[in-house]
Amino acid sequence: MLNMNQNFRDKNLLPIFQKLQSGERLSLEDGLTLYNTNDIISLGKMANYVQQRKSGDAVYFVLNQKIEHTNICVLSCKFCDFAVKKGDANAYEMTTEEILSKITPEITEVHITGGMPADWKWERYVDIVRSIHEKFPNADAKAYTAVEIDFFHKKFKISIEEVLRQLKAVGLRTMPGGGAEIFSERVRRLLFNQKIGGNVWLNIHKTAHKMGIPTNATMLYGHIETIEERLIHMLKLREAQDETGGFLTFIPLAFQPGDTGIKPSNQFTSAIDDLKTIAISRLMLDNFPHIKAYWVMLTEEVASVALNFGADDMDGTVGHERIAHDAGAISPMQLTKEHIIKIIKDAGKIPVERDVYYNPLNVYADHVVGKIPYLNSIPFYAHFEKRQFRILPVAPRRMGVLSEKGQIDAGLFSLMDYFKQDENLELMGWCLASRDQVKSVTLFSKEGWGDLNGKKIGITDDTATSVHLLRVLLEKKYNVHAQFERLHAGVNDVSAYDAVLLIGDEAMKRNKSGLHGFELVYDLAKEWYDWKKMPFVFAVWAMKKSLDESLKNALKEIITHSLEKSEIDFVADARLHGNEIGWSEEETRQYLEGFNFHLGEREMEAMMEFRSLVLDIETVTVR
Ligand code: V47
């Protein structure tokens, strides 16, 4: 936990830091105070504090390729040096074959955005996404900004929903955040009066979210906008995110003046303004999972510092970029994976290669300790003195996958992953075990247990152990067989299922609000306890057997210390986390008291009982 109050040079920041510590939202006035401060270091520390709470030491990057399929555009935005008119000497249009030739097999995200020519057919846009998806099944499309989606809607007379539905059907996974510019009518009239305004942009993104398409959000800053306009932009995004929860990352785009005439061509935003904007967006946008330091527009150097000023996302290798470079950007056209990894490591963070949804694919660091990012694991981590270790928050199932690749040294592993990997992992004496109920592993059902035979159950993508517990309960306790199907990102309509299994914070939120259409709510630990009169061990602390003895001892000391401190006082982090998911302090306290964190004889016995039951049923296949 951070104790930095005494180090603040600008005492005006203290009440804001107190708000952050108690989970209170920042106001427009707070944002102005932050922009006005000269105490840039305290601002950075506050943003880093929030970043640590959200993503630990992780900084995400992706192996991506930018595709700007044409620069011909019917619009004439004053800040844009990329777009030209048809017939211009620099005009270009890429065929689908040319686009495909730019993509290589290791690419996992293709970022597609371009000009809007008057004569392209709808099928051509659909074909780009479809062809990429067919030829490179590992590459997910992040395609078309809200401005382009609105253009398709008007030009081809197809509703926004239908545009998105058709694109999603051929492989669009997420939408980029471009085209938001700045949500100010004043600036729009002066710089981009032919382009959609903030309300249309926000409505298109909200529509996408409701259809299971997560999106990003940008803000173009450093031209003629005021600081207040920047903050209003952030607040509008925060409000939209409260409504849908579909934004993945926020990207402040530093204006590149080029030949636009808005500013002299060498008058880039200052590094101080860039860092302030990154940090302030981290603090204002409390409901955004990630903040991106877009090195293409910030430069590598500023992006690198930004990783300690609230940013946890480095975009990616990019491949080739024209929008910023046509406007004079001085950054390289692309970075190698090794170079990005080095920048992130130099910032003292864990380089995490991600997929289009921010699921971790590979981790490039030593001494990585995995953290299940749910309320119930907080006592282990709240007073965790990191020393040589780095913390990676990761959903249980993903932690198992990374550990199989040898990329996690220790962590609170899902029990099934420990069973699978017990040749390489050793137990550390702690666990996450329910006593008689758990409140965060819940089956929401339309049918009673006995009536689930042959029915379809949607399973959260995060679980590794609870899905097996559910199978054991169904088959061994109730003698029924159901079909299981993973709820992958992008599935937002669960009405087709007869039951849905949720875990962690999501289950806790739904326990309060209910899941529409699912009247029956079952706590799986309670079902287990009523049947076996045993605790249920959901996760165990384990570390690589091959780890140095000195590291093993250091880690044990760290966890012993954190747990002891957490047992003495109710942890501020837990209160804050509970607050974020809508649980009162008392409810949070009671919830945590329902767990046993020490792996004793009863827990070992319960583990063995569960293991024999799991081995006894056919291997669970969950698509
Ligand atoms: O919408 C245009 C901006 C955006 C200039 O979603 C300019 O992950 C600076 O949105 N100076 C396109 N910016 C780029 C974009 C983006 C980039 C990286 C990642 C993601 C993401 C999205 O570029 C446009 C516009 O706002 N832009 N001209 C300029 N002169």
Side-chain angles (χ1 to χ4, degrees), residues 424-604:
N424 302 322
L425 294 176
E426 80 184 49
L427 292 172
M428 297 174 69
W430 298 285
C431 66
L432 204 59
S434 60
R435 298 183 200 277
D436 54 358
Q437 54 173 345
V438 65
K439 300 181 193 165
S440 53
V441 178
T442 314
L443 185 74
F444 297 87
S445 186
K446 293 176 182 168
E447 313 278 353
W449 286 99
D451 296 323
L452 282 170
N453 207 18
K455 297 287 166 65
K456 203 162 76 167
I457 304 184
I459 306 288
T460 169
D461 200 26
D462 292 349
T463 160
T465 295
S466 304
V467 58
H468 290 78
L469 172 58
L470 176 60
R471 187 74 165 234
V472 163
L473 290 169
L474 283 166
E475 298 192 11
K476 295 285 182 183
K477 183 175 175 188
Y478 292 104
N479 202 19
V480 298
H481 291 73
Q483 301 167 42
F484 288 8
E485 211 173 283
R486 285 258 176 217
L487 297 171
H488 293 292
V491 178
N492 63 333
D493 181 7
V494 289
S495 60
Y497 296 101
D498 300 292
V500 175
L501 174 67
L502 297 179
I503 67 168
D505 291 357
E506 192 56 30
M508 295 179 76
K509 282 189 215 159
R510 295 293 183 182
N511 281 344
K512 283 246 153 164
S513 65
L515 188 60
H516 183 67
F518 298 83
E519 292 295 311
L520 303 169
V521 178
Y522 298 113
D523 181 320
L524 295 202
K526 183 168 184 317
E527 287 290 330
W528 168 264
Y529 182 80
D530 290 348
W531 182 34
K532 295 281 170 189
K533 294 289 173 278
M534 279 179 163
F536 190 82
V537 181
F538 286 95
V540 289
W541 266 97
M543 56 192 169
K544 272 187 192 163
K545 285 184 180 163
S546 60
L547 217 56
D548 275 1
E549 282 308 310
S550 61
L551 283 172
K552 286 182 183 173
N553 291 334
L555 188 56
K556 282 186 194 159
E557 253 179 52
I558 291 171
I559 297 171
T560 306
H561 170 79
S562 181
L563 208 51
E564 273 172 13
K565 273 195 102 172
S566 305
E567 276 167 1
I568 295 166
D569 63 5
F570 179 68
V571 195
D573 277 14
R575 192 180 305 122
L576 210 54
H577 196 119
N579 186 30
E580 276 166 14
I581 56 175
W583 281 47
S584 71
E585 183 170 335
E586 195 42 40
E587 286 169 324
T588 304
R589 184 192 301 276
Q590 277 178 14
Y591 169 71
L592 287 177
E593 279 170 6
F595 286 94
N596 184 1
F597 299 115
H598 295 271
L599 188 61
E601 255 174 51
R602 261 169 63 75
E603 286 71 32
M604 289 296 278

Side-chain angles (χ1 to χ4, degrees), residues 326-341:
D326 282 359
I330 58 164
S331 57
M333 284 282 191
Q334 60 186 320
L335 290 180
T336 62
K337 170 176 156 182
E338 291 67 31
H339 197 116
I340 293 196
I341 291 174

Side-chain angles (χ1 to χ4, degrees), residues 64 66 68 77-82 109 111 113 142 145 147 175-182 195 201 215-221 249 251 253-258 260 292 294 296-297 313 315 318 321 323-324 326-328 354 358:
N64 62 348
K66 201 151 198 249
E68 288 139 339
C77 303
K78 292 205 173 120
F79 57 76
C80 180
D81 261 355
F82 166 72
E109 181 185 276
H111 176 175
T113 184
K142 174 173 84 177
T145 65
V147 179
M175 265 172 63
E181 322 312 359
I182 195 99
K195 207 176 223 174
W201 189 96
T215 72
N216 298 340
T218 56
M219 175 180 79
L220 182 65
Y221 71 96
T249 188
I251 312 139
L253 296 173
F255 177 57
Q256 314 290 307
T260 60
K292 185 177 285 191
Y294 188 43
V296 172
M297 294 189 191
D313 175 1
D315 197 82
V318 174
E321 197 278 349
I323 297 177
D326 282 359
R354 64 165 176 89
Y358 286 78

Side-chain angles (χ1 to χ4, degrees), residues 101-150:
S101 72
K102 306 251 173 242
I103 303 168
T104 47
E106 72 279 5
I107 294 296
T108 53
E109 181 185 276
V110 185
H111 176 175
I112 309 167
T113 184
M116 295 180 297
D119 53 357
W120 279 34
K121 300 260 185 310
W122 168 231
E123 288 69 30
R124 189 159 176 183
Y125 297 100
V126 180
D127 193 48
I128 293 177
V129 177
R130 183 195 296 111
S131 309
I132 293 173
H133 186 58
E134 281 172 4
K135 183 148 185 220
F136 299 96
N138 287 337
D140 286 315
K142 174 173 84 177
Y144 306 129
T145 65
V147 179
E148 290 162 287
I149 300 290
D150 183 69

